[in-house]
Amino acid sequence: MLFNDGRFCFQQWLSCATCHPDGRTGGLNWNLLNDGVGNPKNAKSMLLAHQTPRAMWLGVRENAEAGVRAGLRHIQFAVRPEEEALASDAYLKSLEPVPSPYLVDGHLDPAAIRGGELFERTGCGRCHPAPLFTDLRMYDMGTTRGEDEGFAVDVPQLVEVWRTAPYFHDGRAATIKEVLTTFMPGVSESAKLTESQIDDLVRYILSL
Ligand code: HEC
Ligand code: HEC
């Protein structure tokens, strides 16, 4: 209720769910002031947020608990009792991944199985190791620009990534395929992936 109710906000117009519907992401970019001005970030899903510190794309909050309290204070402009922040933590920790619609009878299909092998072989699993699909570290992948240029980005977890488009910290990639071919071309080129192998890899990621 706290997460979804706009009345807890100063002037009562916005809830956490405004940008994080169902505790996931509304998919929009927002220019929040947590990491500077003029560098909008794509709203993140809250799934697994408490298990994958740091928090925020550039890791500006130590963990999701700090992110929840920052949201109350700096987005809702509200000073609320700690027990309400604890209740929001409890709600967000209770979120369970929804099985991907790309699974067939709850299992990876043959293309996704081939893609899973490629995921390991091309070294994706180094930074995105199962089961959380993040090594909890930050890397400068050359993806930041403008105000953020040269900053390292927190490795996003990939569970439920089928429902969190667009991708990357600034939402620049509309699809997973675009992540791999347009914005991370180095990875697929150095591994010499064919078009159909890229499709397999995409299928695997969409199945997580
Ligand atoms: C106006 C849109 C908006 C509202 C409202 C909003 N958020 Fe967010 N939230 C974002 C954006 C954008 C990010 C990513 C920011 C970044 O990475 O710097 C984010 C990131 C987070 C994260 C980090 C997750 C992670 O895994 O790194 C947490 C936790 C969070 N929000 C909690 C909340 C809570 C709790 C509320 C309500 C008090 C809230 N948010 C309200 C837009 C919003
Ligand atoms: C050196 C560590 C590293 C390796 C290796 C790596 N990634 Fe990533 N990955 C990241 C980081 C950091 C980001 C966030 C980049 C950004 O937002 O600017 C990311 C973002 C992504 C995203 C977007 C997720 C989202 O929610 O926006 C996908 C999908 C992804 N990686 C898949 C892969 C695949 C597939 C491979 C192997 C071909 C791979 N990654 C290899 C670190 C890595």
Side-chain angles (χ1 to χ4, degrees):
M1 288 163 64
L2 293 165
F3 196 83
N4 285 277
D5 195 334
R7 288 174 303 177
F8 295 106
C9 163
F10 177 64
Q11 296 182 336
Q12 309 193 337
W13 63 282
L14 157 145
S15 73
C16 305
T18 301
C19 302
H20 301 288
D22 279 338
R24 267 64 178 198
T25 169
L28 294 178
N29 279 5
W30 294 94
N31 186 15
L32 304 179
L33 304 184
N34 58 1
D35 62 351
V37 182
N39 50 355
K41 296 289 179 302
N42 198 233
K44 296 192 82 172
S45 170
M46 303 286 98
L47 182 69
L48 301 175
H50 284 77
Q51 291 181 55
T52 56
R54 301 189 66 93
M56 311 297 163
W57 286 104
L58 300 188
V60 295
R61 303 285 174 210
E62 191 181 354
N63 50 38
E65 284 84 349
V68 166
R69 285 147 186 80
L72 291 167
R73 183 173 286 262
H74 301 298
I75 299 182
Q76 294 197 316
F77 296 111
V79 177
R80 307 292 307 176
E82 172 63 12
E83 66 195 42
E84 292 187 2
L86 288 168
S88 295
D89 288 334
Y91 163 61
L92 297 174
K93 286 182 195 168
S94 78
L95 298 175
E96 301 257 8
V98 173
S100 165
Y102 292 86
L103 295 172
V104 177
D105 294 333
H107 297 286
L108 297 177
D109 77 354
I113 291 173
R114 291 194 299 271
E117 286 160 8
L118 290 167
F119 188 83
E120 293 311 323
R121 187 141 59 79
T122 52
C124 313
R126 198 159 50 84
C127 299
H128 298 283
L132 295 174
F133 296 93
T134 168
D135 64 358
L136 309 180
R137 301 168 86 104
M138 300 188 49
Y139 298 91
D140 175 6
M141 309 273 290
T143 54
T144 43
R145 55 191 177 203
E147 293 292 309
D148 292 337
E149 191 159 346
F151 281 88
V153 183
D154 193 41
V155 176
Q157 63 87 4
L158 301 179
V159 180
E160 262 195 19
V161 85
W162 56 269
R163 69 186 298 199
T164 61
Y167 304 107
F168 275 180
H169 65 280
D170 56 358
R172 75 182 68 167
T175 61
I176 296 291
K177 186 156 187 172
E178 219 174 77
V179 167
L180 299 181
T181 54
T182 311
F183 299 111
M184 246 191 215
V187 187
S188 46
E189 275 163 20
S190 60
K192 298 205 183 347
L193 299 182
T194 64
E195 187 73 15
S196 76
Q197 285 177 316
I198 290 174
D199 289 342
D200 290 347
L201 191 49
V202 168
R203 180 82 188 187
Y204 173 67
I205 293 166
L206 291 173
S207 302
L208 296 176

